[in-house]
Amino acid sequence: MSYECLEVAKEPPIATVTLNRPKQLNALGLALAKEIAEAMEALDIDPEVRAIVLTGGEKVFAAGADIKEMAEATPFDERVRTRMVFRDRLNRISKPIIAAVSGYALGAGCEMAMSCDIIVASETARFGQPEVNLGIIPGSGGTQRLARAVGKYRAMEIVLTGEFLNASEAHRLGLVNKIVPVELLLEEAKGLAKKIAAKPPLAIKLAKEAILKSFNTPLDEGIDFERKCFYLLLASEDKQEGMRAFLEKRRAEFKGK
Ligand code: DAK
């Protein structure tokens, strides 16, 4: 598949999706949101791909929703709703996604990074939810995910002031897994993706699902869900292979079965 505002590079077992709308600072307009959803879903069902890196350019990851598109939007605007449908599709991707963030990750761009599973940042990364400056609030899960990631008080400060965090502040708050020099960003993110891609895919998929479940369920229900996933994995070929390989002191060959 080819895309207008995206580049998709497959290097099995990983793939890299790069936002490519530099003149608009990768503003997440309807067309780009649609392409992200389509590319991610295609990779999610691609048997050669086990982990995905999502990145932007050196200067900008994504500067948020496209303000030009939104300027005249009303709550009844079909395009606004459609955009959110594309956005929700990203949250349903079952393979691990690593965000590699350099430069600005603002508004819906910050929210998109927070929808990923791991965030690697360059030293120049800037995170923020400046929506209040436009008379709106974060609308793609930012108030919820940010509060869960950094706690109530810091989330309040970030959202209510609209001020940006630099990479080390974001790292200190737990929003970022690792900071690297900009020239090493992709190498680091891809290395992490490859490390995860070498693990048994079913276990990775269910581990991701179970961790995400923890944000939506009481502890008892979450533990119940985890246990069911655990039992399910006992029936997988990869579990047999992983445990046998350990006992036979050899490298396991995982097949995702
Ligand atoms: N949208 C459209 N164009 C943008 C843009 C954006 N978000 N950000 C930048 N641009 C454009 C600028 O207009 C400019 O275009 P030209 O004038 O060259 O034509 C070009 O990109 C370069 O930008 P600047 O000249 O401003 O570049 P600087 O380096 O000086 O500043 C900046 C970079 C990132 C600090 C600045 O551009 C900036 O503050 N950008 C806006 C950031 C922002 O406010 N982001 C939040 C957007 S609101 C929804 C749910 C969620 C959302 C929407 C709907 N529903 C539930 C329906 C999400 C909303 C948002 O994300």
Side-chain angles (χ1 to χ4, degrees), residues 23 25 27 59 63-67 70 80 84 106-108 130 134 139-140:
K23 277 195 191 130
L25 305 190
K59 184 184 170 197
D66 192 320
I67 299 171
M70 273 200 316
V80 173
M84 291 316 292
L106 304 177
L134 302 169
S140 300

Side-chain angles (χ1 to χ4, degrees), residues 100-102 119-125 167 171 176-189:
V101 177
S102 186
I119 304 179
V120 183
S122 81
E123 289 160 344
T124 65
H171 185 250
V176 156
N177 293 71
K178 197 167 193 177
I179 307 174
V180 290
V182 68
E183 63 277 11
L184 297 181
L185 179 68
L186 269 185
E187 191 182 319
E188 182 68 32

Side-chain angles (χ1 to χ4, degrees), residues 21-29 59-60 62-70 79-84 87 104-111 128-131 133-134 136-141 164:
R21 216 186 157 213
K23 277 195 191 130
Q24 293 80 16
L25 305 190
N26 289 336
L28 296 159
K59 184 184 170 197
V60 67
D66 192 320
I67 299 171
K68 275 186 203 129
E69 272 182 24
M70 273 200 316
R79 289 179 318 156
V80 173
R81 289 166 188 278
T82 310
R83 189 180 164 279
M84 291 316 292
R87 185 58 187 68
Y104 296 111
L106 304 177
C110 184
E111 291 171 303
Q129 298 287 163
E131 286 90 340
N133 297 330
L134 302 169
I136 55 173
I137 65 167
S140 300
F164 304 162

Side-chain angles (χ1 to χ4, degrees), residues 52-96:
I52 304 164
V53 172
L54 176 62
T55 192
E58 211 171 279
K59 184 184 170 197
V60 67
F61 177 71
D66 192 320
I67 299 171
K68 275 186 203 129
E69 272 182 24
M70 273 200 316
E72 305 302 324
T74 70
F76 313 106
D77 190 332
E78 202 52 40
R79 289 179 318 156
V80 173
R81 289 166 188 278
T82 310
R83 189 180 164 279
M84 291 316 292
V85 171
F86 294 138
R87 185 58 187 68
D88 289 344
R89 281 160 61 183
L90 180 62
N91 298 335
R92 288 196 288 271
I93 300 301
S94 66
K95 289 177 184 170

